[in-house]
């Protein structure tokens, strides 16, 4: 892409990826920068190119580069020879059908043909061609993980990776190439059925030794290389011989053709034979292949061709020195590219000996080799890998090789536990080996202890890598592998915490109850009590994350059982106290809780839970109890106590910053930051709300769920009048929300309403309608009717001078709808309600001002709104102007400018100019 004046190279990269419909999280992953940095580049590009939004940027990028390089395909190490007819046939098939499988025996050349066709047809797909190598994928359940890795996608909490991949590709026109499907056919088939049904612009080309048997599949049988006329088989042999430095004469054509015919035109067999030409010559190769390849009986022609490859492998193997034979066997346990040092550890040999052997194997075309600034890596094709592991099995050495591979994987996992600058790249390079080794070890009883250790390490690593669905699976696997029930319980608790991060309440509940069962088996009654109480608390504290929250009587029974089991154990007492506050008093306002809170009892129980948790010196237990106390203060109508308690919680969690991140710690911090933003808004502390909101928006665990990450920051930006920040964040919110499948989450309503209000202020009614559609999609709720919805609607009406409508919109007395305005909106509600009464000339204005002044004592922003309204009612021009300075000092720039407009005269023009500079139009 040509770089326009003023656009930096990094911004050009961001713009190009925007044109590829990448999310901010995807761009950050591709460029190895933070999501926040991507946002800054997007904002800068909007300004420099004078474009209104992200969508316009993406359209601009697509126009600037209609033929972008779309092919993240493996670069072949050797030239592709011939197959013109096959390329044309396969190209036509993928144009006519959405899923085509190139089928054939190992060694026939399926992968090279598919790669050639994908590269040649790339221009047909606006969103590119993507290669998914399934050799390393040993678990059919991890197909989506492999695809997500190829696409640069992360996992979105609340949905599995398959859903994330489908959402990312739903509106794209792309070709996906799945290579080596035969070992995970069932997993590929299930994945493709979901993908193709939901992504009409996606075409899939697969290579496999067997059909996938999916509804849309069309099969292309890959033939051997042509033997007649201008033989592709002969051309391949001669090309590879020349590449080895031994060009053949035209007179030798017929002898080469005879060799290729004996090899049935199988590409791999021909390449292996050609690699021996410098040492054996054509006569030697002819003699070697003549006898064994014709001793074939029975079976189909395809089977015979497969055995042709096997025979050449036997022959090539026999020509190796014993030390090289053994090395080839040993390295066949690697499923991904490996280094010489890794091979040395698995082979149990000196690094210099192994390096020499790998070079010789590469010279004989038995290994591929790639070099980069990060080092040299080797890899065997799937056919040669299978051959090597069969040889190990025949010699009864496979288990030993896999055990050494397992120990190497454990060492890698331990090393990866120490994060570094290139941690993600190092993890991605090792992940497939760890997964493959774990799958083998988990099925071997004698490897159970090491399998447990590796499962635990992989669970921790995948959580750090934000593959949280896999992390939960690995913790659950570790719990099943643990010999000690105490370790089982520990792993189940960790799995439950990951489930909480995934917003999978049902899993969280199930896993805590399973942990309680494991703890009971060890005689740990106190631990079981904590688990049962935590499960009951989770059912209420996170009820919105459950597909079906447990009924009230079930949760109450868990609390009773926990109370009996726990006795006077401090940790159990604290957990039970929190459960009593959450379940019996419904501190958290759960969907299955009682209709009315007994406020005094709720406060008392929450305060007791905090005190008992504090005594345990467990910050996470205390954080959960403080969350309950925050909510209890909300029900009591005390926003200042809410804010203070939420602040205590953040201070407590911040004290853990130097400790290794755990799933429980990450979940508590994200929840705590969200609560801190809300409670700070509730008391008019905009500086803290913005600071905590940015921390939440920047948290790496929320990179793939931008709508969740930015929602409360958008509210804070709107109330502060930070229009540019809001517009930047709103594009990220909308992109994340759409990629998540546009979930109807009522908790996102305040953000959508706030953005719609700002667009109304700006006079951008098209954008306002777009956000109103989003708001309607999020669903109606009492909070929208009486809380944030009433507030933002009234602010919009007042902005346009429709005070009477604003007064009518906020007609309900706060006490009538207290649950929906107390939490965050009470002070804003009563202050704006009083201002509406004043500006509408209502006879109730003086009384409303008096009530509002009493309620908002201590809230600087709400107090300034009340002061401004009273000065207007009293016609005290000096007091009115003074509030503008107060708003400015508080960082509430919109209200400061609005005050100038309300002041009239010469001040109106100044206020209007400030509003215009901030993108808003005065009334």
């Amino acid at each position: 892409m040509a770089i326009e004046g003023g656009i930096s190279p990094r911004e050009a990269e961001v713009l190009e990826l925007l044109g590829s419909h990448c999310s901010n999280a995807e761009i950050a992953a591709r460029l190895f920068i933070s999501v926040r940095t991507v946002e800054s580049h997007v904002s800068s590009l909007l300004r420099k190119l004078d474009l209104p939004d992200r969508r316009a940027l993406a359209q601009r990028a697509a126009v600037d580069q209609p033929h972008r390089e779309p092919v993240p395909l493996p670069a072949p190490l050797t030239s592709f020879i011939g197959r013109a007819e096959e390329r044309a046939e396969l190209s036509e098939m993928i144009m006519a059908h959405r899923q085509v499988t190139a089928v054939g025996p190992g060694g026939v050349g399926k992968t090279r043909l598919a790669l050639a066709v994908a590269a040649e047809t790339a221009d047909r797909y606006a969103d590119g061609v993507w290669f998914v190598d399934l050799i390393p994928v040993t678990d059919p359940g991890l197909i989506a993980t492999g695809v997500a890795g190829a696409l640069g996608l992360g996992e979105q909490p609340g949905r599995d990776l398959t859903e994330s991949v489908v959402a990312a590709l739903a509106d794209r026109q792309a070709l996906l190439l799945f290579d080596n499907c035969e070992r995970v056919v069932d997993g590929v088939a299930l994945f493709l059925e979901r993908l193709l049904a939901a992504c009409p612009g996606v075409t899939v080309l697969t290579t496999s030794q067997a059909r996938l048997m999916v509804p849309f599949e069309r099969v292309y049988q890959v033939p051997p290389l042509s033997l007649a006329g201008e033989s592709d088989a002969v051309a391949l042999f001669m090309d590879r011989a020349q590449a080895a430095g031994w060009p053949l004469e035209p007179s030798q054509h017929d002898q080469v053709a005879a060799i290729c015919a004996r090899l049935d035109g199988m590409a791999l067999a021909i390449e292996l034979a050609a690699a021996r030409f410098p040492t054996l010559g054509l006569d030697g190769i002819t003699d070697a292949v003549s006898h064994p390849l014709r001793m074939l009986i029975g079976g189909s022609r395809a089977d015979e061709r497969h055995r042709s490859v096997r025979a050449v492998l036997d022959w090539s193997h026999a020509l190796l020195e014993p030390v090289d034979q053994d090395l080839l066997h040993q390295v066949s346990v690697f499923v991904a590219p490996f280094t010489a040092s890794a091979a040395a550890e698995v082979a149990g040999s000196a690094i210099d000996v192994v390096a020499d052997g790998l070079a010789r194997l590469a010279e004989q075309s038995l290994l591929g080799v790639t070099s980069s600034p990060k080092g040299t890596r080797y890899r065997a094709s799937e056919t040669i890998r299978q051959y090597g592991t069969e040889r190990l099995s025949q010699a009864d050495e496979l288990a030993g090789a896999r055990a050494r591979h397992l120990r190497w994987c454990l060492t890698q996992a331990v090393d990866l536990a120490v994060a570094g600058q290139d941690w993600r790249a190092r993890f991605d390079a090792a992940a497939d080996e760890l997964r493959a080794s774990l799958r083998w070890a988990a099925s071997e009883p004698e490897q159970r202890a090491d399998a447990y250790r590796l499962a635990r390490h992989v669970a921790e690593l995948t959580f750090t890598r934000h593959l949280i669905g896999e992390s939960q699976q690995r913790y659950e696997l570790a719990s099943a592998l643990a010999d000690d029930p105490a370790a089982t319980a520990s792993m189940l608790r960790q799995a439950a915490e990951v489930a909480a991060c995934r917003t999978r309440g049902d899993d969280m509940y199930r896993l805590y109850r399973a942990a309680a069962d494991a703890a009971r088996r060890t005689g740990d009654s106190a631990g079981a009590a904590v688990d049962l109480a935590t499960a009951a608390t989770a059912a209420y504290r996170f009820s919105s994350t459950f597909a079906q929250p447990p009924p009230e009587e079930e949760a109450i029974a868990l609390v009773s059982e926990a109370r009996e089991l726990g006795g006077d154990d401090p940790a159990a007492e604290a957990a039970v106290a929190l459960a009593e506050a959450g379940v019996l008093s419904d501190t958290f306002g759960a969907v299955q809780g009682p209709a009315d809170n007994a406020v005094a009892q709720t406060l008392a129980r929450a305060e007791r839970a905090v005190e008992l948790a504090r005594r345990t010196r467990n910050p996470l237990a205390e954080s959960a109890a403080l969350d309950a106390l925050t909510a209890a203060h909300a029900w009591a109508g005390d926003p200042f106590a809410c804010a203070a308690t939420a602040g205590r919680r953040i201070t407590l969690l911040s004290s853990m910053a130097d400790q290794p991140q755990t799933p429980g710690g990450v979940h508590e911090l994200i929840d705590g930051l969200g609560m801190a933003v809300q409670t700070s808004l509730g008391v008019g502390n905009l500086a803290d709300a913005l600071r905590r909101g940015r921390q939440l928006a920047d948290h790496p665990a929320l990179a793939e769920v931008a709508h969740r990450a930015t929602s409360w920051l958008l509210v804070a930006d709107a109330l502060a009048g930070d229009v540019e920040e809001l517009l930047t964040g709103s594009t990220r919110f909308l992109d994340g929300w759409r990629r998540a499948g546009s979930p109807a989450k009522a908790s996102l309503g305040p953000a959508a309403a706030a953005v719609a209000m700002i667009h109304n202020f700006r006079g951008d009614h098209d954008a306002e309608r777009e956000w109103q559609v989003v708001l309607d999609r999020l669903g109606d709720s009492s909070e929208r009717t009486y809380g944030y919805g009433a507030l933002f609607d009234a602010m919009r009406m007042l902005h346009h001078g429709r005070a009477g409508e604003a007064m009518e919109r906020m007609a309900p007395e706060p006490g009538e709808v207290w649950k929906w305005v107390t939490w965050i909106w009470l002070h804003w509600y009563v202050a704006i309600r009083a201002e509406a009464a004043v500006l509408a000339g209502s006879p109730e204005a003086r009384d409303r001002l008096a009530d509002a002044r009493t309620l908002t004592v201590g809230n600087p922003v709400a107090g300034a709104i009340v002061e401004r309204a009273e000065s207007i009612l009293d016609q005290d021009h000096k007091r009115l102007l003074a509030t503008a300075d107060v708003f400015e000092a508080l960082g509430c720039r919109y209200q400061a400018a609005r005050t100038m407009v309300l002041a009239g005269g010469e001040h109106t023009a100044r206020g209007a100019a400030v509003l215009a500079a901030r993108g808003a139009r005065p009334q």
Side-chain angles (χ1 to χ4, degrees):
M1 176 180 293
I3 300 178
E4 299 186 30
I7 295 180
S8 70
R10 176 63 87 191
E11 288 171 343
E13 291 178 314
V14 171
L15 184 59
E16 179 180 354
L17 291 170
L18 284 170
S20 305
H21 307 297
C22 291
S23 69
N24 286 357
E26 291 175 277
I27 295 171
R30 302 270 184 88
L31 301 181
F32 298 97
I33 56 180
S34 71
V35 173
R36 190 75 174 172
T37 301
V38 175
E39 287 181 21
S40 298
H41 288 313
V42 170
S43 180
S44 175
L45 285 165
L46 289 171
R47 185 175 62 255
K48 290 179 179 180
L49 298 177
D50 193 25
L51 294 172
D53 54 32
R54 181 193 182 94
R55 185 176 301 175
L57 274 178
Q59 292 171 346
R60 174 66 171 272
V63 169
D64 284 352
Q65 193 181 30
H67 300 293
R68 66 182 183 85
E69 290 295 327
V71 192
L73 298 174
L77 301 177
T78 54
S79 58
F80 184 77
I81 302 297
R83 289 205 185 268
E85 185 176 342
E86 292 93 326
R87 294 202 307 269
E89 291 173 349
L90 189 53
S91 295
E92 289 178 7
M93 284 190 74
I94 64 174
M95 283 295 293
H97 305 288
R98 295 190 55 216
Q99 200 276 305
V100 177
T101 301
V103 173
V108 76
K110 300 182 296 296
T111 298
R112 290 299 301 273
L113 174 61
L115 285 171
V117 169
E120 289 171 0
T121 60
D123 286 344
R124 301 175 186 171
Y125 303 96
D127 296 302
V129 178
W130 304 92
F131 179 78
V132 183
D133 183 6
L134 294 178
I135 287 180
V137 181
T138 57
D139 185 342
L142 291 178
I143 302 299
T145 301
V147 179
L151 296 175
L153 294 175
E155 184 174 347
Q156 297 177 332
R159 65 197 320 193
D160 62 31
L161 261 179
T162 298
E163 293 171 323
S164 296
V165 170
V166 167
L169 293 173
D171 61 348
R172 299 196 186 187
Q173 184 184 6
L175 173 67
L176 269 60
L177 171 53
F178 288 71
D179 194 30
N180 294 291
C181 297
E182 55 272 357
R183 290 183 302 112
V184 284
V185 165
D186 291 342
V188 173
L190 289 172
F191 177 83
L192 289 186
E193 286 197 58
R194 291 182 64 180
L195 179 75
L196 293 170
C199 305
V202 170
T203 299
V204 177
L205 173 60
T206 60
T207 73
S208 179
Q209 293 184 25
R211 293 184 59 180
L212 304 183
M213 306 301 290
V214 292
F216 305 118
E217 182 181 34
R218 295 295 183 274
V219 175
Y220 179 76
Q221 189 72 45
V222 177
L225 293 168
S226 62
L227 296 168
E230 295 294 324
S231 166
D232 287 343
V234 172
L236 176 64
F237 189 104
M238 298 185 77
D239 177 86
R240 298 302 186 256
Q242 183 171 356
W246 293 78
L248 289 158
E249 299 295 331
S251 60
Q252 297 173 295
H253 179 279
D254 290 345
Q255 195 173 2
V256 172
I259 292 171
C260 292
R262 291 181 182 277
L263 297 177
D264 291 310
M266 296 295 282
L268 176 59
I270 291 170
E271 295 219 28
L272 292 174
R276 287 291 178 179
F277 173 66
T279 55
L280 296 180
L282 292 182
D283 290 341
I285 294 174
T286 300
D287 291 341
V289 302
S290 294
H291 179 65
L293 297 188
R294 288 306 172 203
M295 296 181 64
L296 302 173
I297 55 174
S300 68
R301 184 62 179 155
D303 290 335
E304 291 177 1
R305 287 170 182 151
H306 186 73
R307 279 190 261 176
S308 296
V309 173
R310 177 57 180 264
V312 172
L313 282 169
D314 285 339
W315 166 67
S316 297
H317 180 268
L319 294 175
L320 296 173
E321 294 295 327
V323 65
D324 291 343
Q325 291 178 348
D326 184 59
L327 181 59
L328 180 64
H329 304 166
Q330 300 295 330
V331 299
S332 68
V333 299
F334 287 101
V335 298
F338 56 89
T339 63
S341 61
E345 290 192 43
V346 171
S349 301
I351 181 66
D352 55 339
V353 173
V354 168
D356 289 343
L358 293 173
R360 288 191 294 270
L361 292 173
E363 288 172 1
Q364 302 306 321
S365 296
L366 291 164
L367 293 179
V369 56
T370 56
S371 297
S372 73
K374 293 184 177 181
T376 301
R377 289 183 175 270
Y378 300 86
R379 188 175 195 177
S381 70
E382 179 64 4
T383 302
I384 292 174
R385 274 193 67 254
Q386 291 174 1
Y387 180 85
T389 54
E390 285 176 12
R391 283 281 185 170
L392 284 173
S393 183
Q394 291 166 4
D396 199 25
E397 295 175 354
L398 182 57
R402 291 205 186 281
R404 290 189 295 276
H405 182 253
L406 172 60
R407 289 194 293 273
W408 177 80
C409 286
L410 279 167
T411 300
Q412 298 304 302
V414 171
D415 290 345
L416 282 167
V418 180
Q421 187 175 4
D422 61 343
W423 185 89
R424 176 172 172 163
R426 290 191 297 118
F427 170 82
D428 288 349
D432 288 326
E433 295 296 346
L434 303 184
R435 291 168 177 141
S437 185
L438 177 57
R439 185 172 175 82
W440 170 78
S443 64
E444 300 293 321
E446 65 274 14
Q447 302 294 340
R448 188 181 184 93
D450 280 346
Y452 162 74
R453 290 175 57 211
L454 184 56
R456 178 167 53 84
H457 284 309
V458 172
E460 294 165 353
L461 292 168
T462 49
F463 182 81
T464 302
R465 182 62 176 80
H466 307 306
L467 297 171
I468 53 180
E470 183 178 355
S471 177
Q472 180 183 326
Q473 292 176 15
R474 302 308 186 187
Y475 275 123
E476 291 194 55
L477 176 60
S479 75
L481 291 169
D483 289 327
D484 178 7
T488 296
S490 175
M491 293 298 98
L492 287 167
R493 289 171 193 137
Q494 295 275 33
E497 291 175 355
V498 177
C501 293
R502 299 179 67 211
T503 65
R504 298 296 180 98
D506 303 86
D507 279 357
M508 180 173 32
Y509 183 76
R510 168 181 62 83
L511 291 162
Y512 274 125
R513 295 196 66 174
D517 291 339
R520 265 193 291 248
R521 291 198 299 272
T522 70
D524 182 10
S525 297
V530 171
D531 293 327
L532 291 174
T534 304
T537 299
Y540 280 64
R541 186 183 178 197
F542 305 113
S543 62
S544 64
T545 69
F546 282 70
Q548 182 61 53
E552 182 180 12
E553 58 272 16
E554 182 175 309
I556 291 173
L558 288 182
V559 177
S560 298
E561 187 179 358
R563 192 184 298 114
E564 292 174 8
L565 280 172
D568 59 359
D569 178 83
E573 282 188 319
V576 169
L578 178 57
E580 289 174 341
V583 176
L584 304 184
S585 296
D586 192 23
T587 303
F588 302 106
V591 293
Q592 72 273 40
D596 296 309
N597 292 40
V599 174
Q601 184 185 54
T602 301
L603 269 172
R605 279 183 163 156
E607 287 169 345
R608 179 171 180 268
V610 171
E611 177 56 27
L612 291 174
R614 186 186 60 78
R615 294 177 189 175
T616 68
R617 300 183 182 279
N618 180 340
L620 298 185
E622 189 175 350
S623 172
L626 286 169
D627 186 31
L629 184 57
T630 302
H633 282 308
W635 302 139
D638 190 345
F640 295 103
C642 283
T645 307
R648 284 173 59 190
R649 188 178 173 201
I650 293 299
T651 300
L652 175 71
L653 294 170
S654 298
S655 69
M656 302 172 60
D658 294 336
Q659 300 177 24
Q661 284 196 331
T662 64
V666 169
H667 184 243
E668 281 295 326
L669 180 59
I670 289 173
D671 186 73
L673 286 170
M675 200 63 65
V677 179
Q678 297 172 59
T679 56
S680 295
L681 288 173
V683 297
N685 188 342
L686 291 177
D688 270 6
L690 291 166
R691 181 163 57 92
R692 299 306 186 192
R694 291 188 184 105
Q695 284 182 261
L696 188 63
D698 291 344
H699 199 290
L702 298 180
E704 296 292 337
V705 280
H707 50 301
R708 280 182 56 197
T710 60
S711 61
W712 284 110
L713 180 58
L714 291 175
V715 176
D717 284 334
L719 292 174
D722 291 340
V723 176
E724 186 173 341
E725 287 287 326
L726 177 137
L727 295 177
T728 299
S730 67
T731 60
R732 182 181 168 197
F733 175 103
L734 200 58
D735 183 55
W737 181 68
R738 286 171 172 161
R739 287 178 180 276
S742 303
K745 294 285 189 182
S747 59
L748 302 173
V755 176
M757 178 186 73
I758 293 299
H759 282 303
N760 177 273
F761 289 177
R762 299 174 67 240
D764 188 343
H765 298 299
D766 288 340
E768 181 187 8
R769 280 190 290 272
E770 181 181 23
W771 280 91
Q772 191 64 43
V773 169
V774 173
L775 183 58
D776 291 340
R777 177 68 182 270
L778 296 175
D780 209 351
S781 66
S782 297
E783 191 179 1
R784 179 179 173 186
T785 302
Y786 302 113
Y788 71 82
L791 172 67
F792 291 134
D793 285 350
M795 289 179 65
R796 183 173 63 248
M797 293 165 183
L798 290 174
H799 181 83
H800 295 290
R802 305 199 307 269
E805 293 178 43
M807 187 176 172
E808 184 178 346
R809 181 68 177 89
M810 304 187 88
E813 295 286 342
E816 296 174 11
V817 290
W818 68 276
K819 276 198 173 185
W820 312 115
V821 298
T822 296
W823 179 232
I824 307 168
W825 315 110
L826 175 63
H827 291 176
W828 295 90
Y829 186 92
V830 298
I832 294 296
R833 188 170 182 267
E835 181 177 291
V838 169
L839 294 175
S842 169
E844 301 175 3
R846 187 71 66 182
D847 290 338
R848 286 194 179 183
L849 280 171
D851 291 342
R853 186 173 288 283
T854 300
L855 278 169
T856 60
V857 170
N859 183 320
V861 177
I865 293 172
V866 173
E867 176 72 8
R868 180 177 65 192
E870 190 170 63
S871 67
I872 292 172
L873 185 62
D874 293 341
Q875 298 183 356
D876 189 334
H877 198 68
K878 185 176 180 180
R879 280 173 61 198
L880 173 60
L881 289 174
T883 61
D885 294 332
V886 173
F887 284 125
E888 193 66 43
L890 293 171
C892 202
R893 298 173 183 85
Y894 166 75
Q895 294 295 350
R898 175 168 159 73
T899 301
M900 303 301 291
V901 172
L902 289 171
E906 62 182 16
H907 304 294
T908 297
R910 288 173 51 199
V914 173
L915 287 174
R918 304 194 67 77
R921 295 181 181 177
Q923 64 186 60

